[in-house]
Amino acid sequence: MEKYDVVIIGAGPVGLAFSTCLARWGYRIRHIDNRPEPTLTGRADGIQPRSLDLLRNMGLKRKIMAHDPAKVYEVAFWDPNPKGIHRTGTWASCPKFIDARYPFTTLLHQGLIERVFIEDIEKNGVQIRRPWTITGFKNDGKDPSYPVEVSLAHVDGTSRETVRAKYLFSGEGARSFVRDQLGIKIHHKDPIAHVWGVMDGVVRTNFPDIKMKCTIHSDAGSVMVIPRENNMVRLYIQLASSTDPDWNPRKTATEEDVQNHAKEILKPYTISWDRVEWYSVYPIGQGIAERYTLDERVFMGGDVCHTHSPKAGQGMNTAFLDAVNLAWKIHHVESGFSPRSMLSTYEPERKLIAENLLDFDAKYAKLFSTRIPSAGEVAGAASNEPEENEFVKTFKASCEFTSGYGVAYNPNIINWGPGHPAQHPLFLSYQKGTNLRTGRILTPATVTRVVDANVVHLEQEIPLNGSYRMYIFAGLPKQTTTAVKDLATYMANPTSFYSIFAHKDSSKDRYHERDNPHSDFLSLCTIFNAPRPQIFIAEMLPAALACYRDHVYADDVWDQRVPNAKAAAHTKMGLDESTGGVVVVRPDGYVGCVVKLVEGRGTCEALDQYFSVLTGKKLGEERAAL
Amino acid sequence: MEKYDVVIIGAGPVGLAFSTCLARWGYRIRHIDNRPEPTLTGRADGIQPRSLDLLRNMGLKRKIMAHDPAKVYEVAFWDPNPKGIHRTGTWASCPKFIDARYPFTTLLHQGLIERVFIEDIEKNGVQIRRPWTITGFKNDGKDPSYPVEVSLAHVDGTSRETVRAKYLFSGEGARSFVRDQLGIKIHHKDPIAHVWGVMDGVVRTNFPDIKMKCTIHSDAGSVMVIPRENNMVRLYIQLASSTDPDWNPRKTATEEDVQNHAKEILKPYTISWDRVEWYSVYPIGQGIAERYTLDERVFMGGDVCHTHSPKAGQGMNTAFLDAVNLAWKIHHVESGFSPRSMLSTYEPERKLIAENLLDFDAKYAKLFSTRIPSAGEVAGAASNEPEENEFVKTFKASCEFTSGYGVAYNPNIINWGPGHPAQHPLFLSYQKGTNLRTGRILTPATVTRVVDANVVHLEQEIPLNGSYRMYIFAGLPKQTTTAVKDLATYMANPTSFYSIFAHKDSSKDRYHERDNPHSDFLSLCTIFNAPRPQIFIAEMLPAALACYRDHVYADDVWDQRVPNAKAAAHTKMGLDESTGGVVVVRPDGYVGCVVKLVEGRGTCEALDQYFSVLTGKKLGEERAAL
């Protein structure tokens, strides 16, 4: 019987992102999908600014952008007026108060996105078997190393196989065999369901905002306009709601019905279709799975765990983050970097985000369905400019969330907080020595790489390699010489977080290894508050840090957001420009903890304590090496 | 006998760039190269910042960058000291005073760059025939439409063919059959020749600047270090010079000789090679062809016309610009947009640049070869920091040129100047109403596209489509309403520059044509000094301008270079923020003329006069339409 590290069911966004990570990190994978080929039409979703960061961190962004996707920088709001509709305002899709590298939403056919992942997975030796489906599974523990038995079959029933696996992952979508078998219930947060008509096509129109994302409320109904690649436009029209007196979840409409409806809504503007690429009517309700796993062997993610209306454009993004969150945790458990208890953080972290998403979606969907009073009805209003309605207000308030930067994990063993088992006076927390918040992504910062003088994005410098990322902000070199040296000395202690996971095969030549010369457990960056030409790595850094020579940076690039800072990266992190600090970032890019950089053993001690909790090992206990 | 618009000999940078343009614009091409396949190793050149702009304008930049080339932001200078060598300073490869989108040099294997072009050429239906060579040609005019007869043969002599062409283009490289046959002499500007050793490989070293571009002068000799893709480094070592007492242009050296030489030069640092990808020794002298064409039917470009030392990294860049300069002129003549006399501007424009390049190269090569006084010899110097030597001074002074932004064409029929046949009081010139200089590229400016709110690079908005680019900077909408309307009204005159080349097949549906809805002669952009949401294209622009609806922009993006400007793009062009102005840019991106935007007929009149000279037609003569 074939044995795999992971069996993955489903090759939509969550399954593909999960498979991509684990395939790169060398796991043996059986990946199946019940569709004969990747998504052909429709089913697009927006890629949030934050997801684009993630895709870049995976080295996939350029391939996505090669398809010339549409980019949404602004959303326009249209409301009824006596002549039909008029624009009442616009709002940035990712406003300036959010510090985003890519302040726009990227719209591209889901099939093209899937293909980018598939190509990468195949490069790492994994083939997705299609059309295959799962017919059964059990965590019977008969083989303690591969406790899960999974039965798979070709959809036409001609072939079957039974394999054993360490883990089973379901990314099957809303209708999940695995979830059903486990008897996990879907909790319907918002009982209201809707029937949607969605149409992708090339149009001709004099509606001026056809290339913008728009929400249009008219006396004839509401429509959402979303631009697409290849000169296409997607229209979402709500056809029925469970709050309607004649509610019928099987309500349908022809292509022509929807077009005529859109024509009515867009008046006084005209619209016609050159071609329709895809048209569909589907009912959708909100739902969230009560559990994401029962045994920490069989996991679920993506639409299996949460479904909601398409308007917020969050499905694919949430799926990506589900996948990456689980992938690195499994990787750490399997690498011996973490005890199995690490896996228990997946469900609470990701379920919280799904709940936030459903709350937002319910509010947004409700407001979208609400009839906006037409101009005649508000004629009494004094101002020329109509008051911002609830819909616009909610939209604005939700920008941080919808851009992906509002994702915040609560304190737990990974995200340090006052209740964390590791307690040391040198831990810094939000507005107490740092601007960083644990459970949130590292603030973007532009710095100069010392070895080649390239101006780079610090938060992207370590790829998604499954390692913790340790950023030593080393302040002014003259002030921190001893602190940096001491940190390196204590890190050299054989029981430190740094030493205990050092590569075993010390004879292997790692001269050209850029990100993991010393260990797969962490990658390390050092950032000095000094101009690049004044930084000499061999002279200024102890060997333990100097071996990450491609990850030494000068904090010497001016930043518009902190125009008066001398060291913009230090300042953006809220760290002292002179004395710096140490930031530990999780493998998925979220801040784990921030520690003060001091002379003596304190800094390493705090880090040892933090990593002791994560790794389940007593780190730094013996200091014989000193 | 087969007939072609163009026969192209050689598939190096100049031939490929030329072929790419003409293939896109629909010409029938016979393209041959005498090598059996594209360049495999070596022969890399840096892509200048300006060339990267050009590649992006051709839609090829992303494919180049997909290969993860090395990027050179800074150059380091190393000089002798008592212990060996020490860094005396660094200098930006494209300093801040140059307004560049990409302030770095891109280093990538020439073969990979060639493949990007070849793929594009093939997409447009042209196959490069290899290994084929030219065996003869004559402009016998026997067929007035296809006056040139060209004989081609497979290099092994098994096949031959004779074809007729409108044009023959030689991009054969330094050894050119075409140039020899025409009896065109190479003028050796600098009589000094050098023998170079060049080595590409993966090294291990403690020399800290191995990932930088460096020029190293030591008591043991000089070397130039250039980083490459795939963790490689190129070393250039000068092995001999015609000024040596024992000069021998056939001097050679083994791989080991060169490595040992490099080891001596780099002391006290160590270096060794993990592998050598390519190694070559070659003599090189400077040369410039006396003519680039004799009959304006048979043309030459690239290394056929100019050779120089590799150090300046300018060969490929000059080749690209030769190609694009000629391609659009041939396109305009063949499209009936210009009289044949347009072709006479190719040689003077491009030869001037080659002469500047050779002047720079000679000076640079001489200084590079000069022995720098070693530390002992300058011990008497007062300052701790050594004085900047001539080499560094020359390097700094040449940055604008080496980045590609110093390319400046002299006034001629295309580049308006005080001596231009078109004289009208509304023409603006440098520091007289504009900061733009004719014959130089359009200043980069970031604006917001109105239709989709995308933040875009204005100078890139019109692709390399062979059309003139007309930028109407329309200032404050309220102030220029009449001026813009009047301009459009006069442009509607059937004999105006705008109307005379209108598409003939007016029945064809051009609704989705973004860049050329009205004519292939020009593309048109309108830029308002107004926030994007206040710009309504249909209401604010006359139909002639509104049909370029994807090319209407809001000048509402803050720019660090003009921090106090309200309309940064207007200000950077040196145009009045309220009243604007009209900028005509050549199809290759260089400014042709700048005209004041006024009410009445003046603006269109000046443009008609300018284009009358370029097109050889009396434009705007009749105003019956008004």
Side-chain angles (χ1 to χ4, degrees):
Chain A
M1 199 180 289
E2 288 275 354
K3 291 177 179 175
Y4 294 94
D5 292 312
V6 192
V7 172
I8 301 170
I9 316 296
V14 74
L16 290 171
F18 189 65
S19 195
T20 299
C21 291
L22 292 176
R24 288 178 175 198
W25 302 335
Y27 290 91
R28 189 163 151 75
I29 297 168
R30 165 63 82 211
H31 194 162
I32 65 161
D33 190 88
N34 61 12
R35 298 171 298 166
E37 55 193 322
T39 304
L40 283 177
T41 54
R43 288 178 72 175
D45 245 313
I47 301 175
Q48 297 170 337
R50 160 66 189 137
S51 298
L52 209 54
D53 289 338
L54 178 66
L55 290 167
R56 180 167 160 209
N57 204 228
M58 300 176 87
L60 302 177
K61 172 174 167 274
R62 205 177 260 149
K63 289 187 178 167
I64 301 275
M65 298 319 257
H67 291 290
D68 285 321
K71 296 178 189 172
V72 170
Y73 279 76
E74 281 189 29
V75 180
F77 305 102
W78 289 73
D79 278 352
N81 76 358
K83 286 179 190 164
I85 53 171
H86 72 301
R87 192 206 285 159
T88 57
T90 65
W91 188 246
S93 130
C94 182
K96 285 212 167 34
F97 70 81
I98 301 171
D99 191 357
R101 289 285 180 194
Y102 311 108
F104 50 82
T105 304
T106 303
L107 278 306
L108 185 66
H109 186 280
Q110 185 176 318
L112 296 173
I113 299 170
E114 290 178 6
R115 278 172 179 79
V116 169
F117 280 97
I118 291 167
E119 200 181 289
D120 195 81
I121 291 168
E122 289 180 349
K123 221 188 296 168
N124 288 298
V126 177
Q127 295 292 327
I128 297 165
R129 192 170 281 201
R130 303 169 179 270
W132 274 66
T133 188
I134 181 168
T135 57
F137 65 96
K138 49 178 184 254
N139 175 359
D140 58 17
K142 280 184 188 164
D143 176 341
S145 302
Y146 295 87
V148 188
E149 185 184 276
V150 189
S151 301
L152 306 170
H154 192 283
V155 293
D156 68 8
T158 51
S159 320
R160 329 193 134 260
E161 72 172 341
T162 300
V163 302
R164 294 203 71 87
K166 290 178 178 165
Y167 301 94
L168 168 64
F169 181 78
S170 160
E172 298 164 279
R175 284 183 221 130
S176 164
F177 172 83
V178 172
R179 191 189 61 217
D180 287 352
Q181 290 297 109
L182 293 174
I184 292 172
K185 291 216 171 59
I186 291 284
H187 175 60
H188 293 281
K189 258 187 115 84
D190 180 4
I192 301 173
H194 302 279
V195 174
W196 285 89
V198 54
M199 184 177 289
D200 283 348
V202 175
V203 304
R204 54 185 74 205
T205 177
N206 56 357
F207 177 64
D209 285 351
I210 197 68
K211 296 204 171 183
M212 305 271 287
K213 179 169 172 182
C214 304
T215 57
I216 305 171
H217 288 96
S218 85
D219 291 342
S222 299
V223 66
M224 180 171 279
V225 174
I226 297 179
R228 295 277 308 270
E229 76 280 6
N230 285 336
N231 202 24
M232 283 195 297
V233 175
R234 166 167 292 189
L235 297 186
Y236 280 114
I237 292 191
Q238 191 174 303
L239 299 173
S241 162
S242 59
T243 56
D244 296 344
D246 58 345
W247 162 244
N248 172 7
R250 292 203 176 67
K251 170 149 185 170
T252 189
T254 66
E255 207 173 292
E256 212 190 329
D257 290 341
V258 167
Q259 290 178 349
N260 287 334
H261 195 170
K263 283 176 185 177
E264 279 303 310
I265 293 170
L266 281 177
K267 279 183 179 170
Y269 302 100
T270 59
I271 186 169
S272 64
W273 277 259
D274 279 12
R275 68 184 179 88
V276 171
E277 184 182 84
W278 181 64
Y279 168 66
S280 178
V281 170
Y282 55 93
I284 199 144
Q286 272 204 343
I288 189 164
E290 288 182 345
R291 301 297 306 273
Y292 282 31
T293 180
L294 295 180
D295 55 0
E296 285 151 23
R297 287 291 181 178
V298 179
F299 286 94
M300 305 177 299
D303 286 0
V304 182
C305 299
H306 38 79
T307 58
H308 52 87
S309 85
K311 287 181 311 299
Q314 300 295 305
M316 187 190 294
N317 300 283
T318 310
F320 287 155
L321 293 181
D322 284 353
V324 173
N325 189 298
L326 181 59
W328 77 261
K329 290 170 182 174
I330 285 182
H331 172 53
H332 275 231
V333 168
E334 294 304 315
S335 303
F337 298 154
S338 285
R340 299 197 61 77
S341 58
M342 172 62 88
L343 298 173
S344 69
T345 63
Y346 168 65
E347 181 181 292
E349 287 201 334
R350 294 307 304 163
K351 202 175 164 196
L352 172 69
I353 305 304
E355 275 165 2
N356 292 342
L357 167 56
L358 265 62
D359 287 345
F360 161 73
D361 178 60
K363 209 152 118 190
Y364 194 65
K366 190 173 155 216
L367 287 167
F368 185 72
S369 310
T370 306
R371 194 177 146 268
I372 301 267
S374 72
E377 294 167 280
V378 293
S383 156
N384 237 353
E385 287 295 311
E387 283 265 305
E388 250 177 25
N389 59 43
E390 273 307 306
F391 180 72
V392 176
K393 278 186 198 156
T394 302
F395 185 87
K396 290 189 177 182
S398 309
C399 280
E400 197 183 10
F401 185 77
T402 56
S403 66
Y405 294 104
V407 167
Y409 296 133
N410 285 334
N412 60 13
I413 57 161
I414 332 173
N415 315 315
W416 191 88
H420 195 272
Q423 287 299 326
H424 192 285
L426 293 180
F427 281 108
L428 302 175
S429 55
Y430 184 55
Q431 294 187 332
K432 289 176 188 160
T434 179
N435 293 338
L436 295 170
R437 285 179 284 189
T438 61
R440 294 214 172 212
I441 58 152
L442 184 72
T443 306
T446 303
V447 293
T448 308
R449 193 159 53 208
V450 169
V451 284
D452 60 7
N454 277 216
V455 176
V456 298
H457 295 170
L458 182 61
E459 75 280 8
Q460 288 287 349
E461 278 290 284
I462 299 169
L464 196 77
N465 60 350
S467 308
Y468 285 103
R469 306 165 184 194
M470 180 166 157
Y471 295 88
I472 304 175
F473 288 88
L476 290 170
K478 280 189 185 160
Q479 287 199 34
T480 58
T481 309
T482 308
V484 169
K485 199 172 133 273
D486 289 351
L487 174 59
T489 305
Y490 286 91
M491 277 164 57
N493 173 346
T495 65
S496 80
F497 68 93
Y498 178 77
S499 301
I500 199 165
F501 297 115
H503 293 303
K504 298 283 175 283
D505 50 344
S506 59
S507 64
K508 193 176 159 192
D509 176 16
R510 297 185 187 271
Y511 178 83
H512 295 292
E513 255 188 55
R514 184 188 159 100
D515 303 316
N516 296 98
H518 173 79
S519 160
D520 287 333
F521 180 67
L522 59 72
S523 293
L524 198 153
C525 297
T526 308
I527 307 99
F528 285 107
N529 171 5
R532 194 203 62 80
Q534 290 174 20
I535 300 170
F536 289 87
I537 296 169
E539 286 80 359
M540 288 162 66
L541 281 176
L545 312 184
C547 73
Y548 296 84
R549 62 185 183 280
D550 286 345
H551 288 303
V552 183
Y553 307 90
D555 191 359
D556 61 358
V557 180
W558 181 81
D559 191 309
Q560 202 190 334
R561 286 179 183 273
V562 286
N564 301 318
K566 277 178 193 154
H570 282 68
T571 301
K572 288 180 91 174
M573 309 297 161
L575 297 170
D576 188 283
E577 289 193 347
S578 305
T579 57
V582 178
V583 180
V584 175
V585 175
R586 305 156 34 138
D588 53 0
Y590 295 86
V591 175
C593 74
V594 186
V595 176
K596 214 167 162 172
L597 177 64
V598 296
E599 297 181 6
R601 66 177 53 174
T603 304
C604 190
E605 215 168 54
L607 293 167
D608 277 334
Q609 287 184 17
Y610 170 73
F611 281 115
S612 291
V613 176
L614 290 186
T615 60
K617 295 185 196 292
K618 285 201 170 179
L619 299 173
E621 289 287 291
E622 293 173 29
R623 302 212 173 76
L626 309 176
Chain B
M1 200 178 291
E2 287 275 352
K3 290 177 181 176
Y4 293 95
D5 292 312
V6 192
V7 173
I8 301 171
I9 315 297
V14 73
L16 290 171
F18 189 66
S19 195
T20 299
C21 291
L22 292 177
R24 287 177 176 199
W25 301 336
Y27 290 90
R28 190 164 151 76
I29 296 168
R30 165 63 83 211
H31 194 161
I32 65 161
D33 189 85
N34 60 13
R35 298 171 298 166
E37 54 193 322
T39 304
L40 283 178
T41 54
R43 288 179 70 175
D45 247 313
I47 301 175
Q48 298 171 337
R50 159 66 190 138
S51 297
L52 209 55
D53 290 338
L54 178 66
L55 289 167
R56 179 167 161 210
N57 204 228
M58 299 175 88
L60 301 177
K61 171 174 167 276
R62 204 176 261 148
K63 288 185 179 168
I64 301 276
M65 299 318 259
H67 292 288
D68 285 322
K71 295 178 190 173
V72 170
Y73 279 76
E74 280 188 28
V75 180
F77 305 101
W78 290 72
D79 279 352
N81 76 357
K83 288 181 189 161
I85 54 170
H86 72 301
R87 192 206 284 158
T88 56
T90 64
W91 188 248
S93 130
C94 183
K96 286 214 165 36
F97 70 81
I98 301 171
D99 190 356
R101 288 287 179 193
Y102 310 107
F104 51 81
T105 304
T106 303
L107 278 306
L108 185 66
H109 187 281
Q110 186 177 318
L112 296 172
I113 299 171
E114 289 179 5
R115 279 172 179 79
V116 168
F117 279 99
I118 292 168
E119 199 181 289
D120 195 82
I121 291 168
E122 289 180 349
K123 220 187 298 167
N124 288 298
V126 177
Q127 296 292 326
I128 296 165
R129 192 171 282 202
R130 302 169 181 272
W132 275 64
T133 189
I134 182 169
T135 55
F137 66 94
K138 49 180 186 249
N139 175 0
D140 58 17
K142 280 185 186 162
D143 177 341
S145 302
Y146 295 86
V148 188
E149 187 184 274
V150 188
S151 301
L152 306 170
H154 192 281
V155 292
D156 68 8
T158 51
S159 318
R160 326 192 135 262
E161 71 171 343
T162 300
V163 303
R164 294 202 70 89
K166 290 178 180 165
Y167 301 93
L168 168 63
F169 181 77
S170 161
E172 297 164 276
R175 284 183 221 128
S176 164
F177 172 83
V178 171
R179 191 189 60 217
D180 287 351
Q181 291 296 108
L182 293 175
I184 291 172
K185 292 215 170 59
I186 292 284
H187 174 60
H188 292 280
K189 258 190 116 80
D190 179 3
I192 302 173
H194 302 279
V195 176
W196 286 89
V198 53
M199 185 178 288
D200 283 348
V202 175
V203 303
R204 53 185 74 205
T205 177
N206 57 357
F207 176 65
D209 285 352
I210 197 69
K211 296 205 171 179
M212 306 270 288
K213 180 170 173 181
C214 304
T215 57
I216 305 172
H217 287 96
S218 86
D219 289 342
S222 299
V223 66
M224 181 171 277
V225 174
I226 297 179
R228 296 277 308 268
E229 75 280 5
N230 285 335
N231 203 23
M232 284 195 295
V233 175
R234 166 166 294 189
L235 297 188
Y236 280 114
I237 291 193
Q238 191 175 302
L239 299 173
S241 162
S242 59
T243 56
D244 297 344
D246 59 345
W247 162 244
N248 171 7
R250 290 202 176 67
K251 171 148 185 170
T252 188
T254 66
E255 208 174 292
E256 214 190 331
D257 291 340
V258 166
Q259 289 179 350
N260 287 335
H261 196 170
K263 284 176 184 177
E264 280 302 310
I265 293 171
L266 280 176
K267 279 182 180 172
Y269 302 101
T270 58
I271 186 167
S272 64
W273 275 259
D274 280 12
R275 68 183 178 87
V276 171
E277 187 183 82
W278 182 63
Y279 169 65
S280 179
V281 169
Y282 53 93
I284 199 142
Q286 272 205 344
I288 189 164
E290 287 182 348
R291 302 297 306 275
Y292 283 31
T293 180
L294 295 180
D295 56 0
E296 284 152 22
R297 287 290 181 178
V298 179
F299 285 94
M300 305 178 300
D303 286 0
V304 182
C305 299
H306 39 77
T307 59
H308 53 86
S309 85
K311 287 181 311 297
Q314 300 295 307
M316 188 191 292
N317 299 284
T318 310
F320 287 156
L321 294 181
D322 284 352
V324 173
N325 189 298
L326 180 59
W328 78 261
K329 290 171 182 173
I330 286 182
H331 173 52
H332 275 232
V333 168
E334 293 305 314
S335 302
F337 298 154
S338 286
R340 299 197 60 78
S341 58
M342 172 62 86
L343 298 174
S344 68
T345 63
Y346 168 63
E347 181 182 291
E349 288 200 332
R350 294 307 304 161
K351 204 175 165 199
L352 172 70
I353 305 305
E355 276 165 2
N356 292 342
L357 167 56
L358 266 62
D359 287 345
F360 161 72
D361 177 61
K363 209 152 118 190
Y364 194 63
K366 191 172 155 219
L367 287 166
F368 186 70
S369 309
T370 305
R371 192 174 148 271
I372 301 266
S374 73
E377 294 167 280
V378 293
S383 158
N384 235 352
E385 287 294 312
E387 282 265 304
E388 250 178 27
N389 59 42
E390 273 306 306
F391 180 71
V392 176
K393 279 187 198 156
T394 302
F395 185 87
K396 289 189 177 182
S398 309
C399 280
E400 197 183 10
F401 185 77
T402 56
S403 67
Y405 293 105
V407 167
Y409 296 133
N410 284 336
N412 60 13
I413 58 160
I414 331 172
N415 316 314
W416 190 88
H420 195 271
Q423 288 299 327
H424 191 285
L426 293 180
F427 280 108
L428 302 175
S429 54
Y430 184 55
Q431 295 189 327
K432 289 176 187 158
T434 180
N435 294 337
L436 295 170
R437 286 179 282 188
T438 61
R440 293 215 171 212
I441 59 153
L442 185 71
T443 305
T446 304
V447 294
T448 308
R449 192 158 54 208
V450 169
V451 284
D452 60 7
N454 277 216
V455 176
V456 297
H457 295 171
L458 182 60
E459 76 280 7
Q460 287 287 349
E461 278 289 286
I462 298 169
L464 195 78
N465 60 350
S467 307
Y468 285 103
R469 304 164 184 194
M470 181 167 156
Y471 294 89
I472 303 174
F473 288 88
L476 290 169
K478 279 188 184 159
Q479 287 199 34
T480 58
T481 309
T482 307
V484 169
K485 198 173 134 273
D486 288 352
L487 173 60
T489 305
Y490 286 91
M491 277 163 57
N493 174 343
T495 64
S496 81
F497 68 93
Y498 178 78
S499 301
I500 199 164
F501 296 116
H503 292 304
K504 298 282 175 284
D505 50 346
S506 60
S507 65
K508 194 176 159 193
D509 175 15
R510 298 186 186 268
Y511 178 81
H512 295 292
E513 255 186 59
R514 183 188 161 100
D515 304 314
N516 296 97
H518 173 79
S519 160
D520 288 331
F521 179 67
L522 60 73
S523 290
L524 197 153
C525 296
T526 309
I527 307 100
F528 284 107
N529 171 5
R532 195 204 61 81
Q534 291 174 20
I535 299 171
F536 289 87
I537 296 170
E539 287 80 359
M540 287 161 68
L541 282 175
L545 312 185
C547 72
Y548 295 85
R549 64 186 181 280
D550 286 344
H551 288 302
V552 183
Y553 306 90
D555 190 358
D556 61 358
V557 180
W558 181 82
D559 190 309
Q560 202 189 335
R561 286 180 184 271
V562 286
N564 302 317
K566 279 180 191 152
H570 282 69
T571 301
K572 288 181 90 175
M573 309 297 160
L575 296 170
D576 188 283
E577 290 194 345
S578 306
T579 57
V582 178
V583 180
V584 175
V585 174
R586 304 157 35 140
D588 52 2
Y590 295 85
V591 175
C593 73
V594 186
V595 176
K596 211 165 166 176
L597 177 63
V598 296
E599 298 182 4
R601 66 176 54 175
T603 304
C604 191
E605 215 168 53
L607 292 167
D608 277 333
Q609 286 183 18
Y610 171 72
F611 281 114
S612 290
V613 175
L614 289 185
T615 60
K617 295 186 195 293
K618 286 202 171 178
L619 300 173
E621 290 288 292
E622 292 175 28
R623 302 210 172 75
L626 311 173

